[in-house]
Amino acid sequence: PYHSILMSPDAPGFPRLELGTSRPLASPIGDFALTISAGYLAQTAWAPQERTGARSGSFVEGRWRPLRSPRLEFGAARFYHRDWQGLRLADLSAPFSAIFFDWNENSSGELDNQLLSMFGAFRVPEAGLELWAEFGRNDGASDLRDLAVELEHNSAWLFGVQKVWRDAEQNLWALNATGASARFPQIADFRGQATFYEHTPVSQGHTVRGQLLGSALLERTGGGEIRLDRYSRTGRTGVILATRALPQVRTPIEIPEARLRQEWSALLELLRAHPRGFHWFARAGLIADVNRHPTLGDAYNLTLSTGITLRP
């Protein structure tokens, strides 16, 4: 999948120490894989909430493929944000901390934010078909009752489907559709809620240098994307159509229906492998930001970018 709630494949990476299994570990109940990492999240001076110091990011992800159901895969992941105090071995164990909000620990000055996600996938290799779904939450629930009764608070979900096939010239095609939502539920009328990746007291959210680590579809309240990619011996060509809901304020209940902000985009991507040992990438597209400003109306952007990646 191109989108994930915590660590999207298209998102930028960050400097980190990473430990994990190089391949799945077999057991009587299936195969397991585990990754643990901790690293440095740089700041950006362009954020509305400018910070004086950097953050550390700690991440753990576990996957399980049942022995009798090799087409299925389940997993869970957790991400911790804290103020940067240097790279410490203790940061590797941070995602294994208690899943409920510890009032005693927090009152003593421990400032952090946590994100949790659970996901699953179903694959049919002979048909070139894959389906997946993911549920995420800002997981600082006060207790089990808070988690069970208000599961929708500060939560998000994502689902997708991908179909892969080959044409007569043996080029590989992939059609991918993804939908995501971090909607403001009715509970927002009675209990405060920010957008999914916003964080307090550790500000600048789930980002590195202002770039989102998770899915861009969930930057505000959700969106959808359809993309078609063609892979050949020389590289990849892709067409992407996407939309995102971008409310002007945290409580979209106050915004009239006709003035809700919505972003629409159409992009063309080219990736070419050069025989001299480098990759060339280019992207062009048009983005329409409907109701960008309450009084000025819509805004339009033409995006053009290119780059070269050296291969070892």
Side-chain angles (χ1 to χ4, degrees):
Y2 287 95
H3 293 274
S4 178
I5 291 179
L6 296 192
M7 295 284 283
S8 276
D10 280 355
F14 61 98
R16 62 188 184 270
L17 171 66
E18 188 167 286
L19 304 174
T21 54
S22 58
R23 56 185 178 182
L25 302 178
S27 77
I29 60 173
D31 296 339
F32 289 89
L34 181 69
T35 300
I36 307 171
S37 63
Y40 178 86
L41 297 176
Q43 309 302 325
T44 174
W46 300 100
Q49 297 176 322
E50 185 176 351
R51 288 176 54 83
T52 56
R55 293 158 292 142
S56 66
S58 303
F59 176 71
V60 61
E61 180 185 80
R63 294 173 178 266
W64 170 54
R65 185 173 295 175
L67 183 62
R68 298 183 181 277
S69 303
R71 300 174 185 269
L72 293 173
E73 184 178 62
F74 302 97
R78 201 177 190 201
F79 203 108
Y80 253 65
H81 303 81
R82 288 178 172 174
D83 287 321
W84 177 256
Q85 298 180 15
L87 185 59
R88 305 169 299 173
L89 290 178
D91 292 329
L92 291 172
S93 62
F96 295 97
S97 302
I99 64 172
F100 297 122
F101 184 77
D102 190 329
W103 289 98
N104 293 325
E105 182 179 88
N106 192 75
S107 62
S108 65
E110 186 70 27
L111 301 179
D112 55 37
N113 294 119
Q114 312 97 41
L115 292 171
L116 173 72
S117 79
M118 296 171 287
F119 52 87
F122 176 69
R123 303 179 179 95
V124 187
E126 61 271 21
L129 183 66
E130 180 179 8
L131 298 94
W132 64 89
E134 187 174 6
F135 176 80
R137 195 175 190 272
N138 269 288
D139 71 326
S142 299
D143 49 32
L144 183 59
R145 178 180 176 82
D146 180 20
L147 178 64
V149 175
E150 298 182 353
L151 186 63
E152 75 278 20
H153 185 247
N154 275 353
S155 63
W157 55 258
L158 181 151
F159 72 92
V161 58
Q162 179 172 258
K163 171 66 177 177
V164 178
W165 71 94
R166 291 189 182 274
D167 60 20
E169 299 177 354
Q170 293 303 301
N171 297 314
L172 185 67
W173 293 79
L175 179 62
N176 187 298
T178 305
S181 175
R183 70 280 175 266
F184 288 82
Q186 196 66 30
I187 194 176
D189 290 347
F190 312 99
R191 184 177 179 183
Q193 176 169 329
T195 55
F196 188 77
Y197 293 121
E198 285 187 81
H199 277 160
T200 57
V202 184
S203 62
Q204 292 211 16
H206 196 54
T207 64
V208 56
R209 297 193 182 279
Q211 300 179 79
L212 194 60
L213 293 174
S215 171
L217 298 177
L218 292 170
E219 181 189 356
R220 296 293 182 89
T221 59
E225 178 185 276
I226 298 176
R227 63 185 298 155
L228 178 64
D229 293 294
R230 175 182 177 269
Y231 298 87
S232 65
R233 294 180 179 179
T234 59
R236 176 178 66 87
T237 302
V239 178
I240 306 169
L241 303 176
T243 181
R244 299 188 299 165
L246 304 172
Q248 304 283 1
V249 295
R250 293 183 176 183
T251 53
I253 300 169
E254 302 174 0
I255 303 176
E257 186 78 19
R259 292 176 60 186
L260 288 176
R261 182 182 169 194
Q262 190 83 13
E263 180 185 277
W264 298 85
S265 62
L267 300 171
L268 172 65
E269 292 184 344
L270 299 175
L271 177 66
R272 293 293 181 264
H274 197 277
R276 293 188 177 181
F278 62 86
H279 287 139
W280 171 75
F281 173 82
R283 170 185 284 183
L286 178 66
I287 301 174
D289 198 342
V290 181
N291 289 328
R292 172 65 177 85
H293 191 276
T295 57
L296 301 181
D298 305 340
Y300 298 89
N301 291 312
L302 178 64
T303 176
L304 298 170
S305 61
T306 186
I308 294 176
T309 302
L310 298 178
R311 293 185 296 171

